[in-house]
Amino acid sequence: MSVHSSLLLRALTVAGVLAAFLLPTTSADASAPLRTHAAARGKFIGAALATSPLSNENSYRTIAATEFNQVTAENAMKWDSTEPSQGQFNFSGADAIVNFATQNDMQVHGHTLVWHNQTPGWVQNLGASAMRTAMQNHISQVVGRYADNPAVVSWDVVNEAFEDNGNYRTSFWYNTLGQGYIADAFRAARAADPDARLCINDYNTEGINAKSTAIYNLVSSLRQQGVPVDCVGFQTHLAIQYGFPNDFQQNLERFAALGVQVRITELDVRMQMPRSSSKDATQATYYRNVVNACMAVTACAGVTIWGFTDKYSWVPDTFSGQGAALIYDENYQQKPSYTAVHDALAGGSSSDTTPPSTPGTPSASNVTSNSAQLSWTASTDTGGSGLAGYNVYREQGSNDQLLGQSSTNSITLTGLSASTQYQVYVRARDGAGNLSSNSSTGSFTTTEGDGGPGPGGTCTATPTVQTQWNGGYVVQPVTVTNTGSSGITGWTVTFTLPSGHTLVGSWNAAVTVSGQTVTAKNAAYNGTLAPNASTSFGFQVSRPNGNTQTPSGYTCA
Ligand code: 9MR
C-alpha cells in the first residue's frame, strides 16, 4: 500500500473509531447500555479489565463489550508485566486488552508507565543515569508499540508521585532521580507518540486538598515550562464511610482552567461488609455524584470504573472487611449503583421536576470560635433522580450565603467568624438539580475567638496572578506572611473583586463572598504561622470577556 493510501486508511480508521465512541449521537433509549448514553454526551464510560476473566468468562467479556466504550488494563500494561527483566518485553496481556478493545470499538487508556509499585527490582536498584535510561527506554518501547494503534489514545505517564500532605512521594524514582524524573517521563512519552494524551494520575485528589493542590501547582509549572502534560487523572477510590468530597466538581474545574483534560480513572465506592440496601443506596449516590460532576465539566473526558463486578476487585484484598465497591455484584447482577451511573449518563432523569421533601431544622453541636457541626432530619426524593445532597445557607436577608454542601444530613462548617450569631437553613438537592423548600432556620453563636493576629499581631497578603484568559483568571499563590514578632493562630485576608467578576473556586482557605468583597480565612491546617513564616491560598474567578481587571485592596488581619 502506498504511504498516502495507508495514511488515508489510518485517518479514516481514527475518524471511524472516534465516531463510534465519542461523537454525540441522537438521544439514547432509556434502556440502552451505559456506553450508548455516554457517547450521546460526548464522554467515555470505561472499566478496568483483568486478562484472566477476559479470556475465560463469557459473562465478563459480554458485559465489558456491551456496556463500556473505554478500557484500562488493570494490571497488564504495568512494568512488571511488560518488562519483567531488562530489555525483555512481553506484550501478551497488553495486546489481549488492546485487541479486545479494537474488536469492540473501545478506546484504551494505557496504565501505567512510571510508578513505584509493580516495578521490578532490577529497575529499583539502578543508579541514576542507568535508571533514567531504563525509564526512557521502557516508555519508548511500551508507548511506541501502540503509537500507530488508533484504539490507544492516552497514557498514565506518572502515577502516584505525591504523598497525601502534598510532598513528593519519596519513591525510588524520586530518591534516585529527584523530581525531574516526572518531566523526563512526559517528554519521553511525547517523543514515543506525539498524538497520545499524557496524564498524571493519583488518588485522594478528588477534593481540594494539599495533595490535589500540589499536583495542580506541578501541572501548572510543567506546562509553563513546555513539558507535555495534557491530562490529570483522579483515581476516585471512595468509601461510603468517609463521606463524599463535595468540592469534587469545583476541583475538576480548577484543573480544567489550566487547560488540561481531566478524567476519572479508577472509580470505585467501597463499604464495610456486609452489604445492605441502605449502604447500596448511599453508594449509588456517590456513583451518581461522580458521573454528574464529570458530565458538568466540559474538560472531563469520561469515567473509568476500577473493574465492574464485585467478583473481581482489589478492595477486599486491601481493606479487610470492606468490599462490594462496584456496579455489578459477584453474580453479574446490576446493583443500584449501576442504575445511578446509567441514569446520570442518560441525563440525570431530566424528566424529574419534583423537588425532594423539605429537610428538618438544622441543629448545631460542637460549636467553637470558627466551626460548628449541624445535623438535620433527612429529606426523601420521589421524582426518580434520587437525593444528591444538601445545601446549607446562612440567612442574611436578600443575599443568603451558601456555607457548604453535604451528601449526608450533617455537615461540619469551618472558617466561621468568632462571637457571631449564625442563622442557618438547609435545602435538599436531587440528581436532576431540583432544590427543596427551605428548612426552618436554626441558630447558633460561635465562641469568643483566640485566633487571628490579635492586638499587635500583623500579617500581609501578596497576590500573584498565575494565569489569565479571556473570561477568567487564577490568582495563586496569595502568600500570607506573619510579619509580627509573635506567632499567630489564624488569619483573615480580604480583597475586592472588580465589578462583574465572580469567584468560581478557591483552595487552602475558607472563602466567603459578600457583594464584591471576598473574605478568605485560614483553613484548619494553615492558620498557625510563626513570625516571618508564610503560607498561601489560591482562587479562580470568571470575568466578562474582554475585561482584563484583577482584584485589588488586599488586607490581612
Ligand atoms: O487493581 C490492581 C490490583 O489488581 C493490583 O494487585 C494492585 C497492585 O499494586 O494494583 C491495583 O490497581 C491500582 C492501580 O494500578 C493504581 N491505583 C490504585 C489501584 C488499586 O490499588
Side-chain angles (χ1 to χ4, degrees), residues 371-542:
S371 70
Q373 281 176 4
L374 295 178
S375 58
W376 54 90
T377 302
S379 298
T380 52
D381 186 68
T382 54
S385 63
L387 197 67
Y390 299 87
N391 294 356
V392 179
Y393 298 89
R394 182 178 185 187
E395 167 78 63
Q396 299 187 125
S398 61
N399 187 18
D400 291 351
Q401 177 196 355
L402 180 63
L403 288 175
Q405 295 188 309
S406 173
S407 57
T408 65
N409 59 327
S410 66
I411 193 170
T412 301
L413 300 172
T414 56
L416 304 176
S417 302
S419 309
T420 304
Q421 189 186 34
Y422 284 82
Q423 311 262 15
V424 290
Y425 63 88
V426 183
R427 301 180 74 177
R429 271 180 291 120
D430 67 18
N434 298 305
L435 285 175
S436 73
S437 301
N438 299 355
S439 72
S440 300
T441 302
S443 170
F444 64 89
T445 301
T446 49
T447 58
E448 207 169 295
D450 61 356
T458 169
C459 58
T460 57
T462 311
T464 304
V465 178
Q466 184 185 59
T467 39
Q468 35 188 332
W469 58 95
N470 195 19
Y473 53 91
V474 169
V475 180
Q476 138 99 18
V478 181
T479 302
V480 180
T481 305
N482 177 4
T483 48
S485 52
S486 51
I488 60 175
T489 57
W491 44 263
T492 303
V493 173
T494 61
F495 53 91
T496 307
L497 295 175
S499 145
H501 291 214
T502 314
L503 192 88
V504 294
S506 62
W507 45 96
N508 295 338
V511 173
T512 54
V513 185
S514 170
Q516 293 309 107
T517 303
V518 180
T519 303
K521 287 177 175 294
N522 59 278
Y525 51 84
N526 65 1
T528 302
L529 294 176
N532 296 320
S534 294
T535 187
S536 70
F537 68 97
F539 61 91
Q540 185 181 323
V541 175
S542 73

Side-chain angles (χ1 to χ4, degrees), residues 304-318:
T304 309
I305 301 171
W306 204 241
F308 62 90
T309 164
D310 291 336
K311 188 170 180 183
Y312 302 108
S313 164
W314 70 294
V315 168
D317 296 337
T318 307

Side-chain angles (χ1 to χ4, degrees), residues 74-75 78 111-112 115 117-118 159-160 201 203 235 237 266 306 313-314 318:
E74 185 174 2
N75 289 300
K78 292 174 181 172
H111 173 83
T112 178
W115 188 28
N117 272 338
Q118 289 174 285
N159 191 36
E160 301 175 2
N201 190 49
Y203 62 91
Q235 293 187 10
H237 293 292
E266 304 183 16
W306 204 241
S313 164
W314 70 294
T318 307

Side-chain angles (χ1 to χ4, degrees), residues 65-86:
T66 309
E67 295 288 343
F68 302 102
N69 57 2
Q70 186 273 346
V71 51
T72 302
E74 185 174 2
N75 289 300
M77 290 188 177
K78 292 174 181 172
W79 197 312
D80 59 357
S81 298
T82 51
E83 193 186 5
S85 9
Q86 186 154 21

Side-chain angles (χ1 to χ4, degrees), residues 226-373:
V227 177
V229 182
D230 309 314
C231 133
V232 177
F234 300 82
Q235 293 187 10
T236 320
H237 293 292
L238 301 178
I240 60 170
Q241 65 271 24
Y242 299 139
F244 188 81
N246 286 312
D247 48 6
F248 188 41
Q249 184 179 325
Q250 190 186 339
N251 193 34
L252 296 180
E253 279 164 356
R254 75 167 163 151
F255 278 87
L258 291 176
V260 291
Q261 183 192 74
V262 295
R263 45 172 61 209
I264 316 308
T265 49
E266 304 183 16
L267 174 62
D268 51 23
V269 183
R270 60 188 187 269
M271 59 178 68
Q272 292 287 351
M273 297 300 278
R275 276 172 72 190
S276 68
S277 54
S278 122
K279 290 181 201 172
D280 277 5
T282 303
Q283 178 189 53
T285 307
Y286 282 40
Y287 269 98
R288 178 170 47 236
N289 289 348
V290 170
V291 174
N292 280 338
C294 182
M295 293 297 139
V297 175
T298 311
C300 185
V303 176
T304 309
I305 301 171
W306 204 241
F308 62 90
T309 164
D310 291 336
K311 188 170 180 183
Y312 302 108
S313 164
W314 70 294
V315 168
D317 296 337
T318 307
F319 302 99
S320 164
Q322 298 181 47
L326 295 165
I327 62 173
Y328 286 78
D329 72 12
E330 61 279 7
N331 298 313
Y332 294 110
Q333 298 302 305
Q334 293 171 353
K335 295 161 59 178
S337 48
Y338 173 93
T339 309
V341 171
H342 179 277
D343 291 355
L345 292 172
S349 302
S350 50
S351 57
D352 177 4
T353 53
T354 310
S357 67
T358 307
T361 312
S363 84
S365 59
N366 296 331
V367 180
T368 71
S369 63
N370 61 7
S371 70
Q373 281 176 4

